[in-house]
Amino acid sequence: MVQKLIDQYKVSAKKACSAVLLARSMWYYKSTKRSDKAVRTRIKEIANTRIRYGVNRIHILLRREGWKDNKKRVHRIYKEEGLNLRSKRPRRSKVAAHRMERPDLNNLHQCWSMDFVADQLFDGRKFRVLTLVDNFSRQCLATRVGQSIKGIDVVRLMEDVKQYHRVTPKRIQVDNGSEFISKDFDRWAYENQVTLDYSRPGKPTDNPFIESFNGSFRDECLNTNWFLSLEDAVEKIEDWRHEYNHFRPHSSLNGMTPQEMVEMYQKGSPDL
Protein backbone atom coordinates (compact mmCIF):
# COMPACT_ATOMS: atom_id res chain seq x y z
CA MET A 1 0.00 0.00 0.00
CA VAL A 2 2.82 2.42 0.90
CA GLN A 3 4.64 1.77 -2.35
CA LYS A 4 1.40 2.32 -4.29
CA LEU A 5 0.92 5.76 -2.69
CA ILE A 6 4.50 6.71 -3.43
CA ASP A 7 4.25 5.64 -7.07
CA GLN A 8 0.80 7.14 -7.86
CA TYR A 9 0.83 10.36 -5.82
CA LYS A 10 4.56 11.07 -5.77
CA VAL A 11 4.61 11.56 -2.01
CA SER A 12 7.44 10.83 0.36
CA ALA A 13 7.72 7.56 2.25
CA LYS A 14 7.13 9.50 5.48
CA LYS A 15 3.74 10.82 4.30
CA ALA A 16 2.73 7.50 2.76
CA CYS A 17 3.49 5.62 5.98
CA SER A 18 1.62 8.25 8.01
CA ALA A 19 -1.42 7.94 5.75
CA VAL A 20 -1.72 4.17 6.29
CA LEU A 21 -0.64 4.35 9.97
CA LEU A 22 2.53 2.30 9.39
CA ALA A 23 5.71 2.97 11.32
CA ARG A 24 8.51 4.04 9.01
CA SER A 25 10.83 1.52 10.71
CA MET A 26 8.57 -1.26 9.44
CA TRP A 27 8.72 0.13 5.91
CA TYR A 28 12.51 0.36 5.86
CA TYR A 29 13.07 -2.97 7.62
CA LYS A 30 14.90 -5.54 5.50
CA SER A 31 14.97 -9.19 6.57
CA THR A 32 18.43 -10.49 7.41
CA LYS A 33 17.45 -14.13 7.82
CA ARG A 34 20.50 -16.35 7.56
CA SER A 35 20.83 -19.96 6.55
CA ASP A 36 20.51 -22.52 9.35
CA LYS A 37 22.16 -25.31 7.34
CA ALA A 38 25.36 -25.38 9.43
CA VAL A 39 23.70 -25.40 12.85
CA ARG A 40 21.09 -27.89 11.61
CA THR A 41 23.87 -30.27 10.59
CA ARG A 42 25.60 -29.87 13.94
CA ILE A 43 22.37 -30.49 15.89
CA LYS A 44 21.83 -33.74 14.00
CA GLU A 45 25.44 -34.79 14.65
CA ILE A 46 25.02 -34.25 18.39
CA ALA A 47 21.68 -36.10 18.42
CA ASN A 48 23.26 -39.03 16.58
CA THR A 49 26.11 -39.40 19.08
CA ARG A 50 24.17 -38.57 22.26
CA ILE A 51 20.95 -40.34 21.53
CA ARG A 52 19.21 -39.57 24.84
CA TYR A 53 19.93 -35.84 24.85
CA GLY A 54 16.98 -33.50 24.55
CA VAL A 55 16.93 -30.00 23.15
CA ASN A 56 18.12 -28.37 26.39
CA ARG A 57 21.37 -30.32 26.57
CA ILE A 58 21.96 -30.02 22.83
CA HIS A 59 21.62 -26.24 23.17
CA ILE A 60 24.16 -26.27 26.03
CA LEU A 61 26.62 -28.25 23.90
CA LEU A 62 26.18 -25.79 21.03
CA ARG A 63 26.91 -22.91 23.41
CA ARG A 64 30.07 -24.67 24.57
CA GLU A 65 31.23 -24.90 20.97
CA GLY A 66 30.62 -21.20 20.35
CA TRP A 67 27.32 -21.27 18.45
CA LYS A 68 25.27 -18.11 19.07
CA ASP A 69 21.86 -19.53 18.11
CA ASN A 70 19.25 -19.01 20.82
CA LYS A 71 17.19 -21.78 22.38
CA LYS A 72 14.07 -21.04 20.31
CA ARG A 73 15.97 -21.48 17.06
CA VAL A 74 17.57 -24.71 18.26
CA HIS A 75 14.18 -26.03 19.42
CA ARG A 76 12.57 -25.23 16.06
CA ILE A 77 15.28 -27.10 14.14
CA TYR A 78 15.19 -29.93 16.68
CA LYS A 79 11.46 -30.44 16.05
CA GLU A 80 11.72 -30.05 12.26
CA GLU A 81 14.32 -32.84 12.19
CA GLY A 82 12.05 -35.16 14.20
CA LEU A 83 14.48 -35.50 17.10
CA ASN A 84 11.96 -34.91 19.88
CA LEU A 85 12.43 -37.72 22.40
CA ARG A 86 9.04 -37.13 23.99
CA SER A 87 6.95 -37.52 20.85
CA LYS A 88 4.75 -40.60 20.99
CA ARG A 89 5.40 -43.33 18.47
CA PRO A 90 3.34 -46.38 17.47
CA ARG A 91 4.51 -49.51 19.24
CA ARG A 92 5.73 -50.98 15.98
CA SER A 93 8.01 -47.95 15.45
CA LYS A 94 9.62 -47.65 18.87
CA VAL A 95 13.00 -48.49 17.39
CA ALA A 96 12.92 -45.02 15.82
CA ALA A 97 13.87 -43.64 19.23
CA HIS A 98 17.26 -45.30 18.83
CA ARG A 99 19.23 -42.90 16.66
CA MET A 100 22.70 -44.40 16.33
CA GLU A 101 23.83 -47.52 14.48
CA ARG A 102 26.44 -49.46 16.46
CA PRO A 103 29.59 -50.07 14.38
CA ASP A 104 31.36 -53.43 14.27
CA LEU A 105 34.03 -53.82 16.93
CA ASN A 106 37.55 -54.26 15.52
CA ASN A 107 39.87 -52.62 18.05
CA LEU A 108 40.67 -52.36 21.73
CA HIS A 109 39.07 -49.44 23.56
CA GLN A 110 36.76 -48.72 20.65
CA CYS A 111 33.75 -49.11 22.93
CA TRP A 112 33.33 -49.76 26.64
CA SER A 113 30.19 -50.68 28.58
CA MET A 114 29.15 -49.82 32.14
CA ASP A 115 26.33 -50.80 34.44
CA PHE A 116 25.45 -51.51 38.08
CA VAL A 117 24.83 -54.77 39.91
CA ALA A 118 23.15 -54.83 43.32
CA ASP A 119 23.76 -57.28 46.20
CA GLN A 120 23.83 -57.31 50.00
CA LEU A 121 26.16 -58.09 52.88
CA PHE A 122 25.58 -60.93 55.34
CA ASP A 123 23.59 -58.60 57.63
CA GLY A 124 21.24 -57.45 54.89
CA ARG A 125 22.89 -54.10 54.15
CA LYS A 126 22.72 -53.43 50.43
CA PHE A 127 25.57 -52.37 48.21
CA ARG A 128 26.15 -51.80 44.51
CA VAL A 129 28.96 -52.66 42.14
CA LEU A 130 29.82 -50.54 39.12
CA THR A 131 31.31 -52.71 36.39
CA LEU A 132 33.29 -51.56 33.35
CA VAL A 133 34.07 -53.79 30.34
CA ASP A 134 35.90 -53.37 27.06
CA ASN A 135 33.47 -54.75 24.48
CA PHE A 136 36.13 -55.94 22.01
CA SER A 137 38.36 -57.95 24.37
CA ARG A 138 35.65 -58.64 27.02
CA GLN A 139 38.20 -57.52 29.61
CA CYS A 140 36.78 -56.20 32.88
CA LEU A 141 38.72 -52.96 33.23
CA ALA A 142 37.55 -52.08 36.74
CA THR A 143 34.86 -52.39 39.37
CA ARG A 144 33.78 -50.05 42.16
CA VAL A 145 31.93 -51.20 45.26
CA GLY A 146 29.87 -48.89 47.45
CA GLN A 147 26.58 -48.42 49.23
CA SER A 148 26.08 -45.12 47.41
CA ILE A 149 27.68 -44.51 44.02
CA LYS A 150 27.00 -41.16 42.38
CA GLY A 151 27.94 -39.50 39.13
CA ILE A 152 31.16 -38.12 40.60
CA ASP A 153 32.13 -41.65 41.66
CA VAL A 154 31.68 -42.82 38.08
CA VAL A 155 34.02 -40.02 36.99
CA ARG A 156 36.63 -41.05 39.58
CA LEU A 157 36.53 -44.63 38.32
CA MET A 158 36.97 -43.44 34.73
CA GLU A 159 39.91 -41.27 35.73
CA ASP A 160 41.55 -44.21 37.54
CA VAL A 161 41.16 -46.42 34.48
CA LYS A 162 42.39 -43.62 32.21
CA GLN A 163 45.53 -43.17 34.30
CA TYR A 164 46.20 -46.91 34.54
CA HIS A 165 45.65 -47.80 30.88
CA ARG A 166 46.62 -44.36 29.50
CA VAL A 167 43.68 -44.44 27.13
CA THR A 168 40.03 -43.45 26.89
CA PRO A 169 37.43 -45.15 24.70
CA LYS A 170 35.79 -43.62 21.66
CA ARG A 171 32.37 -44.61 22.97
CA ILE A 172 30.75 -45.85 26.18
CA GLN A 173 27.45 -47.74 26.23
CA VAL A 174 25.35 -47.04 29.32
CA ASP A 175 21.72 -47.01 30.38
CA ASN A 176 19.74 -43.95 31.45
CA GLY A 177 20.50 -44.21 35.17
CA SER A 178 20.92 -40.99 37.11
CA GLU A 179 24.65 -41.63 37.57
CA PHE A 180 25.22 -41.84 33.81
CA ILE A 181 23.18 -38.76 32.86
CA SER A 182 24.73 -36.61 35.59
CA LYS A 183 26.46 -33.33 34.77
CA ASP A 184 29.74 -34.62 36.24
CA PHE A 185 29.88 -37.62 33.93
CA ASP A 186 28.72 -35.57 30.94
CA ARG A 187 31.48 -33.01 31.57
CA TRP A 188 34.09 -35.77 31.80
CA ALA A 189 32.93 -37.32 28.52
CA TYR A 190 32.93 -33.93 26.80
CA GLU A 191 36.44 -33.06 28.00
CA ASN A 192 37.79 -36.47 26.95
CA GLN A 193 35.93 -36.54 23.60
CA VAL A 194 34.02 -39.70 24.50
CA THR A 195 30.63 -40.43 22.93
CA LEU A 196 27.96 -41.54 25.41
CA ASP A 197 25.70 -44.11 23.76
CA TYR A 198 22.53 -44.49 25.85
CA SER A 199 20.30 -47.54 25.69
CA ARG A 200 16.61 -47.13 25.00
CA PRO A 201 14.53 -47.26 28.20
CA GLY A 202 13.49 -50.83 28.94
CA LYS A 203 15.82 -52.28 26.29
CA PRO A 204 18.74 -54.05 28.06
CA THR A 205 19.53 -55.80 24.77
CA ASP A 206 20.91 -52.47 23.55
CA ASN A 207 23.90 -53.12 25.82
CA PRO A 208 24.47 -56.89 25.52
CA PHE A 209 28.16 -57.01 26.50
CA ILE A 210 27.71 -55.63 30.00
CA GLU A 211 24.52 -57.64 30.48
CA SER A 212 26.42 -60.83 29.63
CA PHE A 213 29.31 -59.90 31.90
CA ASN A 214 27.06 -58.98 34.81
CA GLY A 215 25.24 -62.30 34.44
CA SER A 216 28.53 -64.18 34.80
CA PHE A 217 29.60 -61.87 37.62
CA ARG A 218 26.45 -62.58 39.61
CA ASP A 219 26.46 -66.31 38.92
CA GLU A 220 30.16 -66.92 39.57
CA CYS A 221 30.97 -64.33 42.22
CA LEU A 222 28.05 -62.67 43.99
CA ASN A 223 25.98 -65.84 44.32
CA THR A 224 28.91 -67.96 45.53
CA ASN A 225 30.42 -65.62 48.15
CA TRP A 226 29.39 -64.49 51.63
CA PHE A 227 30.37 -60.85 52.13
CA LEU A 228 31.08 -59.82 55.74
CA SER A 229 31.79 -56.15 55.01
CA LEU A 230 32.30 -53.73 52.14
CA GLU A 231 36.06 -54.26 52.45
CA ASP A 232 35.53 -58.03 52.23
CA ALA A 233 33.33 -57.51 49.15
CA VAL A 234 35.98 -55.31 47.49
CA GLU A 235 38.67 -57.95 48.06
CA LYS A 236 36.63 -60.93 46.85
CA ILE A 237 35.24 -59.09 43.81
CA GLU A 238 38.72 -57.93 42.82
CA ASP A 239 40.02 -61.51 43.13
CA TRP A 240 37.23 -62.72 40.87
CA ARG A 241 37.90 -59.91 38.36
CA HIS A 242 41.54 -61.00 38.13
CA GLU A 243 40.50 -64.62 37.62
CA TYR A 244 37.96 -63.58 34.98
CA ASN A 245 40.55 -61.62 33.01
CA HIS A 246 43.52 -63.97 33.35
CA PHE A 247 42.17 -67.48 33.89
CA ARG A 248 38.55 -67.93 32.90
CA PRO A 249 38.16 -69.02 29.24
CA HIS A 250 35.65 -66.98 27.30
CA SER A 251 33.39 -68.73 24.79
CA SER A 252 33.12 -65.72 22.46
CA LEU A 253 36.95 -65.55 22.31
CA ASN A 254 37.36 -69.17 21.18
CA GLY A 255 38.33 -70.25 24.68
CA MET A 256 40.93 -67.55 25.27
CA THR A 257 40.91 -65.32 28.32
CA PRO A 258 40.33 -61.59 27.89
CA GLN A 259 43.97 -60.92 28.81
CA GLU A 260 45.17 -63.36 26.15
CA MET A 261 42.97 -61.55 23.66
CA VAL A 262 44.50 -58.21 24.62
CA GLU A 263 48.05 -59.54 24.36
CA MET A 264 47.42 -61.23 21.02
CA TYR A 265 45.96 -58.07 19.55
CA GLN A 266 48.74 -55.89 20.89
CA LYS A 267 51.25 -58.21 19.18
CA GLY A 268 49.57 -57.52 15.88
CA SER A 269 47.51 -60.69 15.51
CA PRO A 270 43.90 -59.55 15.93
CA ASP A 271 42.39 -62.43 13.94
CA LEU A 272 40.68 -65.02 16.13
Side-chain angles (χ1 to χ4, degrees), residues 97-114:
H98 181 57
R99 301 191 193 121
M100 188 169 70
E101 293 293 330
R102 270 74 184 270
D104 293 333
L105 298 173
N106 52 31
N107 204 344
L108 295 173
H109 310 301
Q110 181 180 356
C111 180
W112 294 354
S113 293
M114 282 197 299

Side-chain angles (χ1 to χ4, degrees), residues 237-250:
I237 289 172
E238 182 60 23
D239 288 343
W240 181 86
R241 186 180 77 87
H242 185 272
E243 179 179 317
Y244 177 89
N245 286 335
H246 294 83
F247 178 78
R248 180 186 183 277
H250 205 293

Side-chain angles (χ1 to χ4, degrees), residues 37-220:
K37 183 177 180 180
V39 69
R40 185 181 295 270
T41 299
R42 183 58 187 140
I43 289 172
K44 290 193 291 185
E45 288 174 351
I46 294 174
N48 284 334
T49 56
R50 298 174 181 268
I51 62 174
R52 295 304 303 168
Y53 274 22
V55 65
N56 292 336
R57 288 195 172 184
I58 290 178
H59 179 248
I60 292 172
L61 293 182
L62 290 174
R63 286 291 186 180
R64 286 181 184 174
E65 297 173 3
W67 296 87
K68 302 300 183 182
D69 302 83
N70 61 33
K71 189 173 180 179
K72 289 183 179 180
R73 183 184 181 87
V74 174
H75 185 248
R76 173 178 60 79
I77 297 173
Y78 183 83
K79 291 179 65 177
E80 289 175 355
E81 293 297 327
L83 302 175
N84 196 335
L85 297 177
R86 294 178 176 83
S87 60
K88 294 183 179 179
R89 298 179 177 85
R91 182 174 296 275
R92 65 181 180 279
S93 302
K94 281 188 175 180
V95 70
H98 181 57
R99 301 191 193 121
M100 188 169 70
E101 293 293 330
R102 270 74 184 270
D104 293 333
L105 298 173
N106 52 31
N107 204 344
L108 295 173
H109 310 301
Q110 181 180 356
C111 180
W112 294 354
S113 293
M114 282 197 299
D115 203 359
F116 287 92
V117 182
D119 204 356
Q120 62 183 19
L121 303 177
F122 80 103
D123 57 4
R125 286 182 295 160
K126 296 181 180 179
F127 68 92
R128 306 171 76 198
V129 185
L130 174 61
T131 56
L132 176 64
V133 172
D134 175 62
N135 292 354
F136 179 74
S137 66
R138 307 300 200 272
Q139 183 182 34
C140 178
L141 300 169
T143 60
R144 173 151 298 197
V145 180
Q147 289 183 303
S148 176
I149 301 178
K150 301 178 180 179
I152 190 62
D153 299 311
V154 177
V155 171
R156 292 187 181 119
L157 176 69
M158 299 306 299
E159 277 298 309
D160 291 343
V161 175
K162 175 184 174 182
Q163 294 298 323
Y164 183 82
H165 290 277
R166 298 185 181 278
V167 68
T168 55
K170 296 180 179 179
R171 185 164 57 98
I172 301 178
Q173 289 181 228
V174 292
D175 60 23
N176 293 273
S178 59
E179 301 84 3
F180 299 138
I181 63 174
S182 68
K183 293 181 179 179
D184 293 318
F185 188 44
D186 175 66
R187 185 182 303 111
W188 180 90
Y190 174 79
E191 293 173 350
N192 288 275
Q193 298 181 336
V194 176
T195 298
L196 298 181
D197 185 357
Y198 292 97
S199 302
R200 294 169 295 172
K203 296 290 184 179
T205 52
D206 283 352
N207 201 351
F209 297 97
I210 198 66
E211 291 292 327
S212 175
F213 172 81
N214 285 345
S216 299
F217 175 45
R218 179 171 295 282
D219 185 50
E220 301 173 15

